[in-house]
């Protein structure tokens, strides 16, 4: 076998071992994009027998030509998704709790069902994670770690052991944050983490709060299974802080199927989308 097999050939013509010059390779990328609605760098690299770096360069050039829109790990057709709406101010906890409450309660029940078999559970701040608490009170085997004082109070006297990160307190959210809180949870490893977000777009996960963002990132880094809760009103919405990429998520629990364009991106990122209240149906 040639030493060049599986590598890009030398020289400036942009030819890979599959024999495709750069223009033909780009045409193949656009054909697949038109047929599938999304393309993934890794899969294109295997199919076209060139490096992932070559595919990324092709995507950069195609985007510059206005032929596609790059996302993390791949690309979408131009204008496949509308621009994300920007939420500049965080509503109060009480008003967020009332918003989409029926859907959030269904999401919370599904998320509680998913985490029930795990022993160490990290619960993020947020209204939907808070609504999980009635479903978690009987988990005698579990240890629950959180930076939400509301969640800790709601589980007071319940079966699980509750661990709260110490630090500064955000008054309305009743969450702890800051270097002390991060330092307390960073060395730990959780079986599963449940993350609340203010929005999901192809660019990743968003939240309003700079203060809460770093512990969300700790949960994403330090958990074996990462579950994001997002009611359907938050699809294609972004806010101040990008807390992580879609590729960091294992499961997304929502109350209605995502728009087809976003669903394609979630699938390309390897995310298992669960629709709450639909007999464990998946998108």
């Amino acid at each position: 076998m040639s030493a060049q097999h599986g590598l890009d050939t030398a020289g400036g013509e942009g030819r890979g071992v599959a024999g495709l010059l750069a223009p033909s390779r780009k045409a193949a990328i656009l054909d697949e994009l038109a047929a599938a609605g999304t393309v993934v760098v890794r899969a294109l690299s295997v199919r076209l027998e060139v490096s992932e770096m070559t595919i990324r360069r092709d995507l950069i050039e195609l985007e510059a030509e206005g032929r596609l829109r790059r996302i993390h790990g791949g690309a979408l057709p131009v204008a496949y998704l509308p621009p994300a709406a920007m939420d500049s101010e965080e509503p109060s906890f009480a008003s967020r709790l009332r918003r989409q409450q029926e859907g959030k309660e269904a999401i919370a029940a599904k998320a509680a069902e998913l985490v029930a078999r795990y022993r160490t559970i990290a619960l993020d701040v947020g209204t939907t994670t808070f609504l999980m608490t009635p479903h978690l009170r009987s988990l005698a085997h579990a240890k629950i770690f959180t930076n939400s004082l509301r969640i800790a109070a709601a589980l007071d006297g319940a079966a699980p052991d509750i661990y709260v990160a110490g630090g500064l307190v955000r008054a309305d959210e009743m969450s702890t944050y800051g270097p002390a809180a991060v330092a307390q949870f960073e060395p730990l490893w959780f079986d599963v983490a449940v993350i609340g977000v203010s929005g999901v777009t192809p660019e990743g996960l968003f939240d309003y709060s700079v203060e809460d963002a770093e512990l969300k990132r700790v949960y994403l880094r330090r958990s074996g299974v990462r579950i994001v809760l997002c009611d359907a009103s938050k699809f294609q919405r972004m806010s101040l802080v990008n807390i992580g990429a879609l590729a960091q998520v294992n499961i997304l629990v929502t109350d209605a199927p995502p728009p087809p364009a976003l669903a394609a991106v979630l699938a390309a990122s390897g995310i298992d989308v669960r629709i709450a209240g639909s007999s464990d149906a998946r998108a």
Side-chain angles (χ1 to χ4, degrees):
M1 179 182 295
S2 168
Q4 290 293 320
H5 186 76
L7 302 174
D8 299 343
T9 58
E13 296 185 41
R15 185 192 295 271
V17 296
L20 291 180
L21 291 168
S24 298
R25 195 171 60 242
K26 290 178 183 177
I29 291 171
L30 292 172
D31 286 346
E32 182 161 337
L33 187 60
T38 184
V39 290
V40 178
V41 169
R42 183 176 300 174
L44 287 171
S45 172
V46 172
R47 178 185 164 199
L48 300 178
E49 299 185 50
V50 293
S51 69
E52 292 186 15
M53 183 179 297
T54 294
I55 296 298
R56 290 191 183 94
R57 186 167 59 244
D58 288 342
L59 295 183
I60 289 170
E61 293 173 0
L62 287 166
E63 184 176 52
E65 296 167 10
R67 309 293 297 278
L68 53 74
R69 175 184 172 191
R70 286 188 302 138
I71 59 170
H72 181 82
L76 295 171
V78 174
Y80 196 53
L81 277 168
M86 181 68 182
D87 296 318
S88 56
E89 294 187 12
E90 181 176 22
S92 70
F93 185 91
S95 66
R96 289 178 6 245
L97 189 61
R98 292 191 297 269
R99 185 185 298 174
Q100 307 291 326
Q101 186 168 355
E102 183 177 350
K104 289 180 178 180
E105 288 176 346
I107 293 168
K110 174 57 65 179
E113 179 185 321
L114 292 173
V115 305
R117 65 188 180 90
Y118 294 102
R119 180 169 177 80
T120 56
I121 303 167
L123 281 187
D124 187 23
V125 298
T127 54
T128 313
T129 50
F130 174 71
L131 290 169
M132 290 175 64
T133 55
H135 306 281
L136 303 176
R137 292 184 60 84
S138 63
L139 300 183
H141 66 284
K143 297 179 183 296
I144 294 178
F145 297 79
T146 187
N147 60 312
S148 169
L149 301 179
R150 277 193 177 87
I151 288 175
L155 291 172
D156 182 41
D161 295 329
I162 312 301
Y163 299 80
V164 180
L168 298 168
V169 176
R170 288 186 69 212
D172 182 64
E173 193 66 30
M174 292 300 292
S175 62
T176 59
Y177 71 97
V182 170
Q184 187 173 350
F185 278 6
E186 181 71 59
L188 306 180
W189 183 259
F190 309 110
D191 293 332
V192 61
V194 184
I195 314 295
V197 297
S198 65
V200 173
T201 79
E203 284 70 37
L205 312 172
F206 289 86
D207 191 65
Y208 299 105
S209 169
V210 173
E211 292 84 0
D212 290 335
E214 193 50 49
L215 271 169
K216 292 176 185 286
R217 294 185 183 115
V218 169
Y219 297 146
L220 287 170
R221 286 194 301 269
R222 304 296 297 167
S223 300
V225 177
R226 296 165 297 277
I227 301 172
V228 167
L229 310 186
C230 179
D231 70 77
S233 71
K234 298 175 182 177
F235 292 138
Q236 277 305 101
R237 303 199 72 87
M238 60 193 302
S239 47
L240 178 62
V241 186
N242 184 307
I243 61 172
L246 296 181
Q248 294 176 270
V249 180
N250 301 113
I251 300 171
L252 185 146
V253 186
T254 184
D255 57 331
L262 183 57
V265 178
L266 296 170
S269 299
I271 298 175
D272 180 2
V273 177
R274 305 290 184 98
I275 310 301
S278 59
S279 302
D280 201 27
R282 305 185 185 190

